[in-house]
Amino acid sequence: MKITWFGHSAFLLEGSKKVLVDPFITGNDNAPVKPDDIDCDLIAVTHGHGDHLGDAIFISKRQNVPIVAIYEVAEYINSKGASAVGMNFSGTYEHEGVKLTMVPALHSSGITESGFRHSGGLPAGFIIRMDNKTVYHAGDTGLFSDMKLIGELYEPDVALLPVGGLFTMDTELATIAARWLKPKVVIPMHYNTWPPITADPESMRPELDKEGIELVILKPGESYEL
Ligand code: NI
Ligand code: MN
């Protein structure tokens, strides 16, 4: 599986299928692609905030591919004429050999683009399983101890963790999350998009080294081969 970071929390996972997560491209100065250039089979959206729902509706319509999101966000997406599959925590949605399981995140989820007139239900993360590989996309989240359970249940190969602080965990708390999740690899996200979420994830390396967890710091546009 090839994991490409488009900056912020946007990733493209390419294996037998292409799964796009949280495609915030328009308005993200770090994004190395245009919404028009992205090719995918399925889109996962963790919550209703604009920096996660992003260009999902546009890409879904253009590519004629479904969006998977929590029920309330899915209903909003459907009302905008794109096609969404609503699900909820512990549920698994299977699409052409890709399994998406929804897990909790400690955050909020109002739908930015509707001026928060839609609640957006609750924020989520995803366990994404494809080609016998497991990736945990944590969405926007604070630290919560059920990450231990997520690690135990799903044994992620890779954890994509927010580290920018202010709206999510910072690098210190994401290091604790990594210790609990026990993935083989951590890829930091949700930092350096804007000044309030400036972070240097390199600071996580000594502690992760001790745990035998590889820290992979990508630049927007770079990929990690799993
Ligand atoms: Ni958010
Ligand atoms: Mn965010």
Side-chain angles (χ1 to χ4, degrees):
M1 190 196 298
K2 185 174 152 191
I3 300 172
T4 303
W5 190 41
F6 293 147
H8 210 55
S9 301
F11 285 88
L12 183 65
L13 313 185
E14 294 174 89
S16 47
K17 293 287 161 188
K18 294 178 183 170
V19 183
L20 179 66
V21 188
D22 283 358
F24 169 55
I25 308 297
T26 304
N28 177 8
D29 296 340
N30 296 328
V33 288
K34 298 257 182 317
D36 267 321
D37 302 334
I38 298 175
D39 179 36
C40 61
D41 301 297
L42 182 64
I43 303 170
V45 170
T46 60
H47 63 293
H49 292 161
D51 57 321
H52 298 263
L53 183 54
D55 298 288
I57 292 172
F58 172 80
I59 297 168
S60 164
K61 284 181 183 172
R62 186 178 57 80
Q63 294 246 286
N64 197 22
V65 296
I67 300 172
V68 179
I70 201 149
Y71 194 82
E72 288 80 355
V73 173
E75 284 297 291
Y76 174 76
I77 291 167
N78 282 325
S79 79
K80 295 286 153 186
S83 133
V85 179
M87 62 184 300
N88 222 309
F89 300 123
S90 296
T92 297
Y93 174 69
E94 193 166 351
H95 179 83
E96 297 175 351
V98 182
K99 277 185 180 177
L100 294 183
T101 302
M102 184 168 276
V103 295
L106 193 60
H107 193 63
S108 57
S109 181
I111 294 175
T112 313
E113 71 168 48
S114 81
F116 297 104
R117 282 188 295 276
H118 295 78
S119 83
L122 292 171
F126 283 103
I127 300 291
I128 303 159
R129 283 172 285 192
M130 171 166 63
D131 305 342
N132 294 315
K133 301 275 163 55
T134 302
V135 175
Y136 169 44
H137 188 298
D140 276 0
T141 189
L143 183 67
F144 58 100
S145 59
D146 273 359
M147 286 177 175
K148 290 177 190 170
L149 182 63
I150 290 172
E152 206 180 291
L153 280 177
Y154 303 111
E155 301 178 330
D157 296 297
V158 176
L160 311 174
L161 300 179
V163 304
L166 190 60
F167 306 108
T168 68
M169 301 185 285
D170 58 14
T171 51
E172 225 169 287
L173 292 175
T175 303
I176 297 170
R179 199 181 294 141
W180 288 348
L181 289 159
K182 301 190 196 315
K184 296 184 186 82
V185 172
V186 164
I187 301 178
M189 64 176 181
H190 211 272
Y191 70 102
N192 292 356
T193 317
W194 307 290
I197 56 168
T198 300
D200 178 13
E202 198 56 52
S203 63
M204 299 168 70
R205 196 177 298 280
E207 206 52 46
L208 294 190
D209 274 351
K210 274 189 226 160
E211 301 285 330
I213 299 168
E214 187 186 352
L215 175 68
V216 174
I217 298 174
L218 298 176
K219 290 193 185 74
E222 285 184 347
S223 302
Y224 171 75
E225 194 73 48
L226 169 64

